[in-house]
């Protein structure tokens, strides 16, 4: 009986080792993959945006300054947990682009490309993050992780509010897309902080 139990335990350990190994291997390229996908998404986004903000949007822009300021303020703290921050930023961008897009230049195909890229990276990051958690990272750090997510969520909440208040108008979308571009540039900087 003991021998059988022992064998089972050995098998389970081997399985855990094997999958642990696989997920670690996949995570070693995380930084490069994130940078590549992010570059693609930036290109896609730039193609859908106007080069300059239309003059009629300047007054809406004034209503957005506080939100822009928030991104600038939280940047440094996000660098403490770059993977978590990127994971949350991508999830929030998915939500933003799930809204009423009629006033934007996005068509279904290009939006699917953007969303698919984001979803893949969200999955990838989730795998890497859960592998790290299994390595027994203690709770002061997990509190810090929660705080990082909260900061990102609060910031995107105000982006979301702005879009809704402005009824997903052309100006609101132009301004929000400029901001999403800033977020993707931030993701690039955050990705550079992930150890290789
Ligand atoms: C989407 O937004 C446009 C522009 O504000 C508006 O005219 C349209 O009614 C909205 N559509 C839906 C389904 O809410």
């Amino acid at each position: 009986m003991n021998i059988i139990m022992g064998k089972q335990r050995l098998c389970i350990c081997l399985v855990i080792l094997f999958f642990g190994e696989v997920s670690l291997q996949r995570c070693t390229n995380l930084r490069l993959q994130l940078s590549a996908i992010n570059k693609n998404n930036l290109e896609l986004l730039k193609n859908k945006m106007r080069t300059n903000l239309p003059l009629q949007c300047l007054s809406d822009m004034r209503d957005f300054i506080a939100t822009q300021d928030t991104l600038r303020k939280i940047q440094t703290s996000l660098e403490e947990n770059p993977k978590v921050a990127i994971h949350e930023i991508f999830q929030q961008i998915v939500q933003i682009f799930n809204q009423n897009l009629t006033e934007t230049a996005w068509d279904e195909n290009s939006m699917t490309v953007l969303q698919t890229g984001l979803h893949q990276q969200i999955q990838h990051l989730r795998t890497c993050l859960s592998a790290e958690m299994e390595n027994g990272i203690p709770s002061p750090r997990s509190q810090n992780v929660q705080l990082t997510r909260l900061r990102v969520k609060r910031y995107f909440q105000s982006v979301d509010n702005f879009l809704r208040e402005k009824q997903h108008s052309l100006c609101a979308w132009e301004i929000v897309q400029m901001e999403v571009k800033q977020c993707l540039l931030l993701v690039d900087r955050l990705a550079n902080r992930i150890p290789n």
Side-chain angles (χ1 to χ4, degrees):
M1 188 64 184
N2 265 340
I3 293 170
I4 294 169
M5 292 284 282
K7 269 187 186 165
Q8 276 179 347
R9 226 172 280 153
L10 181 66
C11 283
I12 292 166
C13 284
L14 283 178
V15 167
I16 290 171
L17 264 178
F18 177 72
F19 283 108
E21 198 71 12
V22 169
S23 59
L24 277 178
Q25 269 172 10
R26 288 182 56 211
C27 292
T28 48
N29 284 328
L30 183 64
R31 187 164 146 183
L32 283 177
Q33 284 198 16
L34 279 172
S35 297
I37 289 277
N38 208 43
K39 208 172 158 192
N40 265 350
N41 284 346
L42 262 169
E43 281 310 306
L44 263 173
L45 183 64
K46 280 185 199 161
N47 281 336
K48 302 299 172 190
M49 288 166 59
R50 293 166 187 237
T51 338
N52 295 306
L53 189 66
L55 275 181
Q56 85 245 29
C57 300
L58 287 181
S59 68
D60 284 331
M61 189 68 213
R62 275 191 281 277
D63 297 332
F64 195 69
I65 284 174
T67 307
Q68 271 186 331
D69 233 31
T70 308
L71 183 65
R72 196 176 46 76
K73 283 182 190 151
I74 64 173
Q75 275 188 34
T76 321
S77 68
L78 301 190
E79 286 169 3
E80 290 171 27
N81 296 303
K83 276 179 263 188
V84 173
I86 296 173
H87 185 243
E88 194 60 48
I89 288 172
F90 282 173
Q91 291 196 107
Q92 297 291 328
I93 292 178
V94 165
Q95 303 272 342
I96 289 287
F97 281 119
N98 267 336
Q99 300 190 32
N100 181 342
L101 293 166
T102 39
E103 295 289 327
T104 68
W106 289 93
D107 55 88
E108 211 169 302
N109 276 347
S110 44
M111 186 43 73
T112 305
V113 174
L114 180 87
Q115 298 273 27
T116 307
L118 287 171
H119 276 297
Q120 275 172 359
Q121 294 311 297
I122 289 168
Q123 282 303 115
H124 193 181
L125 279 158
R126 186 177 298 149
T127 312
C128 298
L129 285 169
S130 59
E132 277 176 22
M133 290 306 170
E134 278 158 21
N135 289 345
I137 290 157
S139 62
R141 173 152 159 82
S142 60
Q143 270 183 353
N144 198 286
V145 162
Q146 290 308 318
L147 205 59
T148 298
R149 289 199 185 276
L150 196 64
R151 286 191 176 115
V152 175
K153 279 183 187 157
R154 277 203 196 124
Y155 157 72
F156 273 98
Q157 188 61 56
S158 67
V159 176
D160 190 84
N161 288 344
F162 175 78
L163 264 178
R164 285 172 202 276
E165 272 162 26
K166 304 288 176 185
Q167 298 177 329
H168 303 96
S169 66
L170 184 145
C171 284
W173 269 120
E174 283 303 315
I175 292 166
V176 166
Q177 289 189 99
M178 278 168 48
E179 191 70 2
V180 171
K181 186 177 150 197
Q182 291 308 313
C183 290
L184 294 183
L185 292 172
L186 172 62
V187 164
D188 240 14
R189 290 196 294 276
L190 290 173
N192 281 332
R193 302 210 153 237
I194 297 173
N196 246 343

